[in-house]
Every structure is written in C-alpha cells, then in structure tokens.
Amino acid sequence: MTPTPQTIRDEAARRRTFAVIAHPDAGKSTLTEALALHARAIGQAGATHGKAGRRATVSDWMQMEQDRGISISSAALQFEYRDCVVNLIDTPGHADFSEDTYRVLSSVDCAIMLVDAAKGMEEQTMKLFEVCSHRNIPIMTVINKWDRPGLESLELMDEIQQKTGMLPTPLTWPVGDSGDFRGVLDRETGEYTKFTRTDGGATIAGAETMDPARAEEVEGDVWTTAVEESELLELEEQNFDYDEFRAGKHTPVMFASAVLNFGVAKILDTLIDRAPAAEPRLDRDGEPRPVDAPFSGFVFKVQAGMDRNHRDLLAYIRVCSGVFERGMVVTHAETKKPFATKHAQHVFGRDRDSVETAYPGDVVGLVNASALRVGDSLYVDEPVQFPPIPSFSPEHFMVIRAKDPSKYKQFRRGIDQLDHEGVIQVLRSDLRGDQAPVLGAVGPIQFEVVEDRMVNEFNSPCRLESLPYTLARRTVKDDIPKLAKERSVEVLERSDGTLLALFSDRWRLGGVERENPGITLEPLVVT
Ligand code: G4P
C-alpha cells in the first residue's frame, strides 16, 4: 500500500539524521558503538571499538583504515530508538579527507561535536565546526573522556565559547572533576544521575537517578560544587534555547565517557527530544521541497563497494521527500534519464541489507551507480534539483603514470573510477597528455589511497611525482594565452570542465595578477 502524505510527514518527523565530528582519537568510533549499543542495534560495544590488531568497529572496513586506525570511508548506521529512527552518518576522521567530510555533512540535519576533555577544541574539530557552521547545521557538544584527568569544566565552556562563538548551554553538568566522574546533574530537572562502572563498559552502564537531597547525602561536597557551578551558568543565562540552537548561536553540552558508556543515554534522548527532524530541503532556486512531495534525494557520496571480489559502485542518497521504495524507477535530474533502483541497500561497514522503504532523512545506498556523481539529484514525478556540493580547492599536486605502460587500459579505468568517486581531482592538459594526468588533493593521504587502490583494485601500479604547486585558481579560456607566457604557472582542466591555473604560492599568484590586470583568477570557494 502506498503511504499517504500524512504517513510520510509522520515518518519524516521521527527521523534524526546526524554525524559526529571530532578530532582523531577523541572517541568517535567508541561513541558510535556506544550509541548503537544503547539503542540495542548491536549486541556489545565498548570492547569492540577498533584499532589495528583488534576487532574493527563496524565502520572501519578498508584494510588501510585498519592499519592506520583511521576511518576513511563514510557509511550510514540506522537504528530505532524510542519512537524515532536515528541515522548516524559516519565521517572520515582525518583532516586530509575534509572534502569528503564536507560532502557527508551536506546530508545531515544536526552534528555532535565530540571534544576530548583533556585536549579541548583541537584543530580538526575547529575545521569541522566551521564546515557545520557554514552549512547552518545545528551543533550539540559532547565532552568525552570525563573519566580521565583533563581540563576543568568551566574552563572548557570558556574555550568553546571563545573558539566557536557559540554560547555553551550545558544540559548536564559533571559531578566530580575530570578523572573522578561520578555522574551528572541534569540542569533542567535538578536531579542527579549516578553512574556505576560495568566490566570494561561492555554492557550498558548502571545509572541511578536521585533527587538533590539524596545526591547531597551520597556525594557531599562534590555534589554541592556541581550545583554551584550550574548556578553560575544560570547567572550567565547559559540555558537551552531551541531557536538559538537551531540558529547555531547556542550549543547544548553534555558530559560523557564513551568508553564507560556514561552519559550515552542522555545523548540519545537529547537527539530525539531536541535535534531537528527531517524537514523540507531547499532546492537550487531556494524553494523548499515539502517532505510529502513525491520522492526526491541527492547523492552525497559515491564509493567503490567494499567486497574485494566484487567491486561495485555505491552512491549514497539522502532522501529529501516522499517515500523511496526499492525497485522504483527514478529520474536522474542531471541527464533526465531513468535510473532503476533494484539494488538499494542500507550500508554500514561490511554489513549490508536490502532497504525496502526509506523516508526523508534516511540514507540509501544504490548499487551499480556509475551514472551518478556527488551532488546529483534524483526524483519521481515532480522535477527538482538540489544545490550542488562544491569541490574544495586542491593544495597538493602530483603527476601520475602507470609503472607498466602495457597496462594503460587498467590505469585509465582506475583513474576514471577514482575521479568519478571524488577520491581525488583529476586535471588534464594537452601538453601532459592522458598518460600522465595531474592529481589534485586537499590532503596528501588522498594520494596514498589512490596508490593503494590502483595496485590492489585496478592492478595498475603507478608512479607519483610531486609538482611544485600549492594554489589553484579558476580561470577562463580567454586568459590561457596570458597565463602560458608566465613562468611556473600551469593551466589544467578538471573533469567537471573547470579550468584551474596552478601557482607555487600566493606571491607568484600576486605577481601574475599585477602583470595581467583584469585576468580571471578566482578562488575556488566553498559555499
Ligand atoms: P576516534 O574514532 O575518534 O579516532 O577515537 P576512538 O573511538 O578510536 O578512541 C580513541 C582512544 O580513546 C581509544 O583508546 C579509546 O579507547 C579511547 N577512548 C574513547 N572514549 C573514551 C573515554 O570516554 N574515556 C577514555 N578514558 N578513553 C576513551 P586507544 O588507547 O587509542 O585504543 P584502545 O587501546 O582503547 O583500543
């Protein structure tokens, strides 16, 4: 039976689609598993979060990721909690994959900023925060690792405010300093939730909730200190305000220990009670697409399948309106061609299962999606195109050549595939020819991924050679002759047709601009 518009609106209203942003090692994998555990999506967490040599997390799948202990790929985890459906989109942890993260963040309605209590606001956290803020994504903050000695709670609040400009509005306040995590004060009810350790945090941590009088009896001065600090926050009006949170001016804060599963239930409850549901998305013209309109969605990630023996191409779609039903034929907005969705999947790590139905806020992985690119839109009946997802400006450049020229076909196929997925930007010019294209990356680890995949997946070992450029500017065809006269400047064409002029540094760029007034050299801005 086809769902009614009311059903679709109800389903959208119970979706919570979010990502966790954090500096590497802040505990993102641990928290992901802890959240899933609480929602009973998987049997056991805590002891299973993965580093090299241990059982990998459900989100770590590539061999390279496991070796390095970082998460390169992005996937979506879905679970039910209370009466809601939670979609947790995994983001790559390493700064070199910020472009990928940026794309992934275009699919979420909210972000959890995970902060290590001992380290405060780290560099990568700040970068990711800026991306969220750019995209007007509301942010909740979780201070993690409170079980370990770290900074003071009030000091952390000051740091968040100074560095992000958002006013921290703690929902919970820790009882006990960092390193002595006894429980949390719920700033809205005034109650105390006392945590009890369980073996390795492998099951849901024990939690007992009590009234303030009992809390004082149990914890004495430690409780009183927490109450006093909470009152200080009250004086500064650091209290939750939904509108300010939605506007990115406030960030609600919670304290947790992901590894001990302390405070994790509160994070889930807050997501359900306070985070925005799937709402109408704006199209390219700024018009909202109602959630109960016919099906629509956009591609936020394209990725090769995870099974080494059967590499297929997966496109991750964020559903924006209507209902997605496996097998339905949708229209690819960019080509107006039909696209059959026989093989639609939920994807998280190695586990895939077929998705039959998906609603706004959900993520669907479409298999054999070689026609789809990041930013493309899909719809049924009423045409729609969602805003494009811009590319980052590359800052590292290398020429790539096949080690074995007789394997040129494999080489070509590999480069095209990696380009298509957006693993790297491929730049070409007549001068360099197709045998030796230039690769542009935001971070150098992207080259390692290319090398690894060219060998293991495309059977085409290759040689990479650095180029002395660090800066790219968009230019136009008419200006190519002027640029050709300049020394150490090169113009290349990206596969989306953009012409990029490459410079060694900004002084060289400045020199060229001075010598050629009126020349088009625009920054590749992320909007
Ligand atoms: P990431 O995905 O953000 O990179 O971080 P990950 O979850 O892998 O956690 C990084 C390290 O921090 C891990 O320790 C993990 O056990 C630890 N950790 C995560 N949450 C907490 C917490 O709440 N409290 C404490 N004390 N530690 C936490 P590791 O030594 O790198 O690995 P392992 O030996 O635990 O596997």
Side-chain angles (χ1 to χ4, degrees):
M1 209 179 68
T2 317
T4 62
Q6 184 58 50
T7 307
I8 296 171
R9 286 196 295 276
D10 291 346
E11 290 293 337
R14 68 185 196 104
R15 282 339 190 243
R16 301 289 181 278
T17 303
F18 77 107
V20 178
I21 56 168
H23 194 86
D25 261 359
K28 186 158 68 80
S29 316
T30 314
L31 179 68
T32 301
E33 295 240 348
L35 291 171
L37 169 75
H38 268 269
R40 309 293 203 283
I42 49 176
Q44 218 198 25
T48 64
H49 62 276
K51 289 282 166 186
R54 305 183 50 175
R55 186 159 103 61
T57 48
V58 273
S59 60
D60 281 353
W61 56 266
M62 239 167 102
Q63 187 57 44
M64 229 180 94
E65 292 174 85
Q66 286 171 17
D67 295 345
R68 288 174 168 276
I70 57 172
S71 199
I72 294 173
S73 55
S74 303
L77 171 65
Q78 185 181 64
F79 51 82
E80 297 223 9
Y81 182 68
R82 290 179 21 198
D83 51 355
C84 286
V85 177
V86 179
N87 293 305
L88 168 48
I89 318 288
D90 193 18
T91 51
H94 198 282
D96 281 12
F97 301 108
S98 48
E99 181 161 27
D100 208 10
T101 305
Y102 189 87
R103 297 176 191 143
V104 169
L105 288 175
S106 67
S107 70
V108 304
D109 300 317
C110 173
I112 288 183
M113 181 166 84
L114 190 65
V115 177
D116 183 328
K119 304 217 173 111
M121 294 293 294
E122 296 176 89
E123 189 194 334
Q124 177 68 355
T125 321
M126 277 308 295
K127 279 198 185 162
L128 292 166
F129 153 74
E130 276 156 19
V131 171
C132 290
S133 148
H134 217 94
R135 299 203 76 102
N136 297 319
I137 299 169
I139 300 167
M140 308 200 299
T141 300
V142 171
I143 309 286
N144 190 32
K145 307 198 186 181
W146 198 254
D147 58 296
R148 251 197 218 160
L151 301 170
E152 282 181 18
S153 42
L154 287 169
E155 197 180 334
L156 275 161
M157 295 307 102
D158 283 347
E159 193 181 329
I160 292 169
Q161 188 166 9
Q162 273 165 22
K163 293 205 169 158
T164 67
M166 295 186 294
L167 182 72
T169 57
L171 295 168
T172 61
W173 196 248
V175 176
D177 292 337
S178 52
D180 177 29
F181 197 6
R182 303 183 186 193
V184 290
L185 158 67
D186 185 319
R187 292 194 60 233
E188 287 172 321
T189 63
E191 286 174 333
Y192 174 43
T193 301
K194 183 177 167 57
F195 299 129
T196 326
R197 279 181 188 246
T198 49
D199 187 19
T203 54
I204 291 174
E208 188 192 344
T209 301
M210 51 188 92
D211 63 26
R214 174 97 183 103
E216 194 168 350
E217 267 173 45
V218 174
E219 303 294 0
D221 286 353
V222 176
W223 169 256
T224 320
T225 304
V227 172
E228 284 168 4
E229 287 175 342
S230 175
E231 282 166 1
L232 278 178
L233 297 167
E234 193 79 41
L235 285 176
E236 300 292 327
E237 297 187 1
Q238 288 178 255
N239 302 322
F240 182 79
D241 179 312
Y242 184 73
D243 294 334
E244 298 286 317
F245 160 56
R246 281 302 301 270
K249 295 192 177 130
H250 285 187
T251 179
V253 180
M254 286 161 281
F255 287 76
S257 165
V259 86
L260 298 177
N261 288 312
F262 286 5
V264 172
K266 180 71 181 177
I267 299 171
L268 275 173
D269 286 329
T270 305
L271 262 173
I272 303 302
D273 297 330
R274 324 267 178 160
E279 289 172 352
R281 283 251 156 179
L282 298 184
D283 68 11
R284 216 166 261 209
D285 304 320
E287 290 295 318
R289 171 91 167 183
V291 288
D292 57 2
F295 166 79
S296 69
F298 64 88
V299 181
F300 65 91
K301 182 163 181 65
V302 176
Q303 186 172 59
M306 301 142 199
D307 181 350
R308 266 179 199 276
N309 303 319
H310 178 66
R311 289 272 178 195
D312 48 9
L313 205 59
L314 274 164
Y316 294 84
I317 318 287
R318 145 96 194 203
V319 179
C320 297
S321 68
V323 57
F324 173 90
E325 283 166 324
R326 189 163 70 90
M328 79 197 303
V329 177
V330 299
T331 304
H332 179 211
E334 279 64 26
T335 58
K336 301 283 180 287
K337 286 193 179 146
F339 186 92
T341 61
K342 202 164 60 193
H343 306 286
Q345 300 180 329
H346 285 297
V347 187
F348 190 69
R350 283 200 185 80
D351 305 329
R352 293 188 187 186
D353 56 66
S354 284
V355 53
E356 297 300 329
T357 320
Y359 290 96
D362 289 345
V363 168
V364 176
L366 294 180
V367 186
N368 295 331
S370 53
L372 306 180
R373 283 183 178 262
V374 170
D376 286 1
S377 304
L378 298 169
Y379 63 81
V380 166
D381 295 342
E382 290 169 25
V384 65
Q385 246 184 317
F386 294 100
I389 303 175
S391 302
F392 271 40
S393 190
E395 291 168 21
H396 303 267
F397 302 88
M398 287 190 130
V399 181
I400 186 164
R401 288 187 183 84
K403 267 192 189 151
D404 177 356
S406 71
K407 289 210 170 131
Y408 179 64
K409 229 168 98 185
Q410 286 93 322
F411 174 77
R412 183 70 204 252
R413 195 167 66 83
I415 296 292
D416 286 350
Q417 171 68 39
L418 298 174
D419 187 18
H420 188 104
E421 286 177 41
V423 171
I424 201 106
Q425 298 186 21
V426 179
L427 315 172
R428 295 189 166 91
S429 68
D430 291 344
L431 214 65
R432 290 193 178 269
D434 242 9
Q435 316 266 351
V438 172
L439 305 181
V442 177
I445 292 188
Q446 284 175 260
F447 296 120
E448 290 182 36
V449 174
V450 169
E451 260 190 304
D452 184 83
R453 289 188 56 188
M454 287 300 281
V455 175
N456 292 315
E457 210 177 311
F458 302 104
N459 191 21
S460 171
C462 48
R463 242 195 325 269
L464 284 154
E465 186 191 315
S466 275
L467 291 175
Y469 308 120
T470 64
L471 207 64
R473 287 287 184 273
R474 196 186 71 81
T475 189
V476 292
K477 213 167 163 200
D478 289 350
D479 286 338
I480 293 179
K482 285 185 205 161
L483 290 163
K485 285 196 202 114
E486 296 288 340
R487 90 193 128 74
S488 47
V489 176
E490 184 169 350
V491 180
L492 294 149
E493 184 172 350
R494 199 163 65 184
S495 38
D496 63 357
T498 309
L499 286 173
L500 299 186
L502 309 188
F503 300 86
S504 52
D505 52 42
R506 57 196 170 86
W507 292 278
R508 187 71 203 105
L509 166 67
V512 172
E513 281 175 326
R514 272 192 305 278
E515 282 156 36
N516 300 279
I519 194 166
T520 303
L521 290 171
E522 291 167 353
L524 294 140
V525 272
V526 172
T527 50

